[in-house]
Amino acid sequence: MAKSSSRPKTAYVCGECGASSSKWQGQCGECGAWNSMSEMVLDRGSARGGGSGSGWAGGSASAGITPLASVKQDEESRVPIGISELDRVLGGGLVAGSVVLVGGDPGIGKSTLLLQALASLGARLSGLYVSGEESLAQVAARGRRLGLDLDPLGALAETCVERILQQMQGARPGVMVADSIQTLWSDALTAAPGSVSQVRESAARLVRFAKETGTSVLLVGHVTKEGGIAGPRVLEHMVDAVLYFEGEVGSRFRVLRAFKNRFGAVNELGVFAMTERGLREVPNPSAIFLSGAGQHPGSAVMVTREGSRPLLVEVQALVDQSPLANPRRLTLGLEQNRLAMLLAVLHRHGGVGVFDQDVFVNVVGGIRVQETAADLPVLLSIVSSLRDRPMASKTVAFGEVGLSGEIRPVPHGEERLKEAATHGFKVAIVPRGNAPKGASPQGMQVHAVERIEDALALL
Ligand code: TYD
Ligand code: MG
């Protein structure tokens, strides 16, 4: 054994970029971030090495170079949780020994989701719920109220990660939930619980345990004001998957989205509704992102395709005379820079200027649309609001807008049109490249447009 001093060696690591130094500094010498350095343990098996603690052939320093083709592929064993919207986002189920971070605002339903997940796995994979926030009585009461079968589940009210690991060595659960990672602390560090270094060290120990034993670990993380989980970016690198649970204030719908996933695609969405009996799956979410308010100026419906399903989503724009020298451009659920670009294209190639106007764009239902297929409907909603004229009723649109004013096709055009037709839409404005070759679905009237001018002429 190497020397075992009583106090482990520590260093100061930047929570932003991961650079380390032996002394504390107010500003990170690498990335220039202020107040980002915090104490980390440097002994064996801790988070050393920039947090790449993914258990990559853990500690096989003596192994030689292997021809990649000769490496046997062991089928990762994946256990479907049985909540199909959650399984969809995970990529088909929970992989043994994987570590999944579930982030989201307080009160969004993370604890509820994970308790339901453990209960759904039931006896197929013995579950342990480690609660650092609520008492076990509260956890059990919630489980009973939701009508969950609690018999196969274990629970532990503990926040010291060493004591949690000690308990797990004996019990060997198939899956454990740590609610939340911010409450855990390691006695190897002197920093206060909840600090960046404690969160990171606790996570590193759980990751190592998961890789060594095959226990799957689900970590709950609170989202900070800036939108990152728990402050330390490094946490996102240490785990196998990062899922965000989001929803709009006042809406009962919740969307689960993978931000990173080593075992599946990252653009899948899982949709849930929060009810008095817990989270219920919404297997056919297509119509829930429509406001249902009918056609108003500034409203457009798009067919987006997040993951493997087409979704009808309403986008609303408000264009209003600005009192400011620098009018505001605000987006909710869309990228702000993309809006600035679209407005420039609209002026340059569509001849419509909005420099003296505030422009607000909102995606209904609190979901975030990342696809470029949203460009055309966003532009149409803006022009509709500017002219104070609603779009023709039962109209959908999709298409990417290029910098030279061309409307580019997007993948899966036919499937999007079919989805819109199923929901009773009668008119579609689509890129020329997405126009159906044969008859359009269910007698839909499809306008194929090539340039932004063509689309504006249709309004
Ligand atoms: P919770 O899972 O505790 O959120 P988180 O762990 O993300 O902080 O969920 C809390 C909210 O969900 C709370 O405001 C009440 C609501 N809720 C319901 O509406 N129905 C239910 O059955 C449960 C369990 C919670
Ligand atoms: Mg909670």
Side-chain angles (χ1 to χ4, degrees), residues 111 133-134 179:
S111 306
E133 298 198 338
E134 294 163 307
D179 188 1

PDB file of all heavy atoms in Angstrom, residues 111 133-134 179, ligand 2:
ATOM      1  N   SER A 111     -37.904  14.342  -7.521  1.00  0.00           N
ATOM      2  CA  SER A 111     -38.023  13.289  -6.502  1.00  0.00           C
ATOM      3  C   SER A 111     -39.180  12.365  -6.839  1.00  0.00           C
ATOM      4  O   SER A 111     -39.075  11.138  -6.689  1.00  0.00           O
ATOM      5  CB  SER A 111     -38.252  13.908  -5.122  1.00  0.00           C
ATOM      6  OG  SER A 111     -37.251  14.842  -4.832  1.00  0.00           O
ATOM      7  N   GLU A 133     -32.673  15.297   1.704  1.00  0.00           N
ATOM      8  CA  GLU A 133     -33.494  16.511   1.799  1.00  0.00           C
ATOM      9  C   GLU A 133     -34.751  16.272   2.612  1.00  0.00           C
ATOM     10  O   GLU A 133     -35.124  17.084   3.435  1.00  0.00           O
ATOM     11  CB  GLU A 133     -33.880  16.977   0.393  1.00  0.00           C
ATOM     12  CG  GLU A 133     -32.670  17.335  -0.421  1.00  0.00           C
ATOM     13  CD  GLU A 133     -32.978  18.189  -1.623  1.00  0.00           C
ATOM     14  OE1 GLU A 133     -34.137  18.164  -2.075  1.00  0.00           O
ATOM     15  OE2 GLU A 133     -32.060  18.859  -2.097  1.00  0.00           O
ATOM     16  N   GLU A 134     -35.424  15.170   2.332  1.00  0.00           N
ATOM     17  CA  GLU A 134     -36.671  14.901   3.027  1.00  0.00           C
ATOM     18  C   GLU A 134     -36.459  13.757   4.002  1.00  0.00           C
ATOM     19  O   GLU A 134     -35.574  12.923   3.806  1.00  0.00           O
ATOM     20  CB  GLU A 134     -37.749  14.510   2.008  1.00  0.00           C
ATOM     21  CG  GLU A 134     -38.122  15.644   1.083  1.00  0.00           C
ATOM     22  CD  GLU A 134     -38.869  15.162  -0.153  1.00  0.00           C
ATOM     23  OE1 GLU A 134     -38.363  14.268  -0.843  1.00  0.00           O
ATOM     24  OE2 GLU A 134     -39.947  15.686  -0.410  1.00  0.00           O
ATOM     25  N   ASP A 179     -30.751  11.775  -3.526  1.00  0.00           N
ATOM     26  CA  ASP A 179     -31.600  12.972  -3.639  1.00  0.00           C
ATOM     27  C   ASP A 179     -31.265  13.930  -2.500  1.00  0.00           C
ATOM     28  O   ASP A 179     -31.680  13.741  -1.388  1.00  0.00           O
ATOM     29  CB  ASP A 179     -33.062  12.530  -3.571  1.00  0.00           C
ATOM     30  CG  ASP A 179     -34.031  13.656  -3.875  1.00  0.00           C
ATOM     31  OD1 ASP A 179     -33.579  14.773  -4.153  1.00  0.00           O
ATOM     32  OD2 ASP A 179     -35.252  13.402  -3.812  1.00  0.00           O
TER      33      ASP A 179
HETATM   34 MG    MG B   2     -36.992  16.789  -4.329  1.00  0.00          MG
END
